[in-house]
Amino acid sequence: TTATTTTLPLTAATLSSASLTAQPAKKKQKLSDTKSKTTLTDNDANGSDNDDARSDSSDNMSSISSSATSATSLLGAPSYWADFDSMDYFEVNVTSHSPEYKIMQNNVLLKTIASYHIKSALHHKIQFSTFEMTRLVRIQNPSLWLRYNSRRKFFGQMKPNPVPNVLLPQPIDSIANEYWLIHGLNTCCLDEICQFGFDARHCSLDGMFGAGLYFAENSSKSNQYCHGAPCTQKGAVALNNHAACKCTQTTEVCLLVCR
């Protein structure tokens, strides 16, 4: 993802280490998603165009259905979003028995663990064998969605070449090459990202390919960049610097699943 793109954080997944565990950002408003029919943790979109927004009502993961509200329809927002009456950012706790929770846990987090990351201490001192998702929070940010959806439409008009062999579920919008990707981070950065989106001006200059926003298709790769309080480290931790990382097996950390 380059500085010219807009990336939308859609879900904060809580992991635990043999698993690592994620803590969502502080809420402006917190809803409980008991309306039953919510879908994926990521804003989904099919390829249909309305003049200023695309509707997500028939995405390719829509085995999970939900009734769209007038606000979601007006903004072209994902149909599985909970009802909202303002443009403020808020979070929805997704219940563990919902299809949305199971898709994120099984298809996104567990299915994308790479075997060569298991028990590895190369980039993080915590060695894991699997992940345990302890919490899932859907981020609903209407203002950010409008900006993102406009950029997505622009990229769709450019008709980019398809991206082959992405591990995560099939494209959300194949016309714009829109996929889910995963971002690992220190939980201290959650509030700002969830409310205002990713900002390339805050990138580290030490990335493997230089300054930029980095996302992975493997949950186990993004997990190498996860830290939670009281740890203040950001990014991967080299073998010779493990002492600086204060994470433990029970530290709650977060992965952002983004469109």
Side-chain angles (χ1 to χ4, degrees):
T1 303
T2 70
T4 59
T5 65
T6 302
T7 308
L8 184 64
L10 284 155
T11 302
T14 294
L15 303 179
S16 221
S17 185
S19 40
L20 284 172
T21 306
Q23 182 157 3
K26 297 170 187 170
K27 289 69 174 165
K28 272 194 175 180
Q29 182 181 0
K30 187 175 179 181
L31 302 180
S32 179
D33 196 14
T34 53
K35 303 175 100 175
S36 74
K37 300 177 180 175
T38 58
T39 131
L40 308 167
T41 331
D42 268 333
N43 306 335
D44 245 331
N46 64 10
S48 64
D49 269 2
N50 297 331
D51 281 345
D52 293 317
R54 275 182 243 188
S55 170
D56 282 302
S57 58
S58 60
D59 58 80
N60 47 23
M61 300 285 283
S62 61
S63 53
I64 310 164
S65 62
S66 78
S67 56
T69 65
S70 58
T72 59
S73 299
L74 182 64
L75 298 181
S79 58
Y80 52 83
W81 272 20
D83 195 8
F84 59 93
D85 57 8
S86 80
M87 296 297 286
D88 289 339
Y89 149 84
F90 65 96
E91 299 178 356
V92 177
N93 286 317
V94 180
T95 57
S96 60
H97 62 269
S98 71
E100 179 175 8
Y101 192 101
K102 290 179 171 59
I103 285 175
M104 294 307 301
Q105 177 176 257
N106 299 329
N107 294 8
V108 175
L109 294 177
L110 298 181
K111 198 172 182 179
T112 65
I113 294 175
S115 59
Y116 49 84
H117 290 147
I118 294 175
K119 302 286 188 186
S120 171
L122 186 59
H123 297 294
H124 203 297
K125 78 171 189 178
I126 303 297
Q127 300 178 47
F128 72 94
S129 56
T130 187
F131 292 138
E132 175 189 358
M133 191 165 79
T134 59
R135 181 168 25 168
L136 182 65
V137 177
R138 187 192 318 126
I139 299 161
Q140 296 189 191
N141 191 329
S143 297
L144 189 58
W145 168 258
L146 282 177
R147 193 177 79 195
Y148 175 83
N149 202 29
S150 174
R151 295 294 290 172
R152 181 180 64 166
K153 184 176 180 180
F154 171 77
F155 280 110
Q157 291 171 342
M158 293 173 63
K159 296 182 172 54
N161 293 325
V163 179
N165 305 321
V166 177
L167 285 178
L168 293 171
Q170 62 262 45
I172 305 171
D173 182 346
S174 58
I175 296 175
N177 270 348
E178 182 186 29
Y179 285 87
W180 293 349
L181 291 174
I182 306 169
H183 183 77
L185 72 171
N186 190 305
T187 52
C188 68
C189 303
L190 276 172
D191 279 353
E192 187 171 350
I193 291 176
C194 291
Q195 291 185 49
F196 305 110
F198 291 94
D199 189 337
R201 293 172 297 180
H202 296 284
C203 299
S204 167
L205 299 178
D206 299 325
M208 181 178 292
F209 303 104
L213 302 171
Y214 286 76
F215 302 86
E217 57 182 346
N218 293 98
S219 60
S220 52
K221 177 61 179 177
S222 295
N223 178 67
Q224 295 174 346
Y225 301 85
C226 287
H227 303 276
C231 185
T232 59
Q233 289 293 300
K234 294 179 182 178
V237 179
L239 280 170
N240 61 1
N241 196 36
H242 277 186
C245 178
K246 305 304 179 186
C247 293
T248 69
Q249 290 290 127
T250 58
T251 298
E252 194 176 45
V253 300
C254 181
L255 288 178
L256 285 174
V257 180
C258 310
R259 297 178 78 132

